[in-house]
């Protein structure tokens, strides 16, 4: 079934593969020959591309919840297990970002930081709906309707805003 995410090239268990998330499954395809290596039931309709994490893990998300999956090999058999699943980073098109062991993303109107290994919330800040990208060690955030641009340090010890400046007329919609 279709979904809103694009396939991603990853190296899992030392094998280069294309990982895709659809509405019914998450799966890995061998990049060399196109064979399906593994598949796992999806969380629901995806809204972002999977993100590779250290340790043969990946972050996947749908409209209602997110999970970290770990890919293992038992002989020649590929296996996938959920490390954790929680209702975080839901209901947004903005990408979730991984930086130094932590996930940063929008959860409704809140920007939040979670430990990637456990999903534990480190902090959250209400900034309303926004899109974000990682630039070096900073989150560059553009408000969807506020018109504000924020520059925030990507740190798990709290919300550290270095800059907040209006760049669009408040109320004008930007889903950039």
């Amino acid at each position: 079934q279709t979904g809103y995410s694009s396939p991603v090239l990853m190296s899992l268990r030392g094998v280069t593969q294309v990982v895709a998330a659809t509405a019914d499954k998450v799966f890995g395809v061998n990049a060399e020959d196109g064979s399906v290596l593994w598949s796992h039931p999806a969380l629901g309709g995806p809204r972002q591309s999977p993100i590779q994490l250290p340790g043969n893990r990946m972050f996947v998300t749908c409209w209602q919840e997110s999970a970290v999956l770990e890919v293992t090999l038992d002989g020649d058999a590929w296996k996938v297990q959920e490390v954790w699943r929680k209702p975080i980073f839901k209901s947004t098109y903005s990408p979730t970002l991984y930086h130094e062991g932590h996930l940063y993303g929008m959860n409704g109107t809140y920007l939040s930081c979670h430990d990637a290994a456990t999903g534990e919330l480190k902090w959250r800040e209400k900034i309303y709906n926004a899109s974000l990208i990682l630039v070096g060690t900073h989150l560059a955030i553009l408000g969807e309707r506020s018109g504000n641009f924020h520059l925030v340090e990507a740190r798990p010890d709290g919300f550290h805003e270095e800059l907040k400046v209006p760049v669009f007329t408040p109320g004008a919609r930007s889903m950039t």
Side-chain angles (χ1 to χ4, degrees):
Q1 297 178 358
T2 61
Y4 287 103
S5 68
S6 298
V8 177
L9 193 63
M10 294 185 189
S11 178
L12 298 168
R13 309 307 303 176
V15 177
T16 302
Q17 48 195 275
V18 177
V19 176
T22 65
D24 60 339
K25 62 185 165 184
V26 179
F27 60 98
V29 175
N30 187 313
E32 290 183 19
D33 64 16
S35 63
V36 176
L37 298 170
W38 56 268
S39 85
H40 184 74
L43 307 179
R47 61 168 180 77
Q48 296 177 6
S49 297
I51 299 171
Q52 183 163 9
L53 303 175
N56 298 299
R57 292 182 174 186
M58 74 187 77
F59 174 78
V60 294
T61 190
C62 73
W63 290 103
Q64 289 77 34
E65 58 189 345
S66 303
V68 168
L69 306 177
E70 184 171 16
V71 177
T72 60
L73 260 175
D74 185 8
D76 290 336
W78 291 85
K79 295 185 179 183
V80 181
Q81 66 181 33
E82 285 186 15
V83 176
W84 59 260
R85 182 191 286 221
K86 297 184 178 186
I88 62 171
F89 303 134
K90 58 186 179 179
S91 301
T92 180
Y93 287 108
S94 178
T96 299
L97 306 171
Y98 175 79
H99 180 67
E100 296 182 349
H102 295 86
L103 295 162
Y104 299 87
M106 298 304 301
N107 191 11
T109 59
Y110 289 89
L111 171 66
S112 60
C113 171
H114 294 262
D115 184 302
T118 64
E120 173 192 3
L121 176 67
K122 293 298 187 178
W123 57 262
R124 73 181 189 153
E125 183 75 21
K126 189 168 191 169
I127 63 168
Y128 300 97
N129 295 345
S131 294
L132 63 149
I133 61 172
L134 184 66
V135 180
T137 61
H138 289 80
L139 305 172
I141 305 163
L142 181 60
E144 185 178 304
R145 291 193 183 270
S146 70
N148 292 326
F149 173 81
H150 307 258
L151 192 62
V152 175
E153 288 185 74
R155 293 174 36 187
D157 65 340
F159 179 79
H160 300 276
E161 185 174 64
E162 293 188 358
L163 176 71
K164 178 180 175 182
V165 61
V167 294
F168 292 124
T169 303
R173 188 168 192 176
S174 171
M175 293 185 66
T176 305

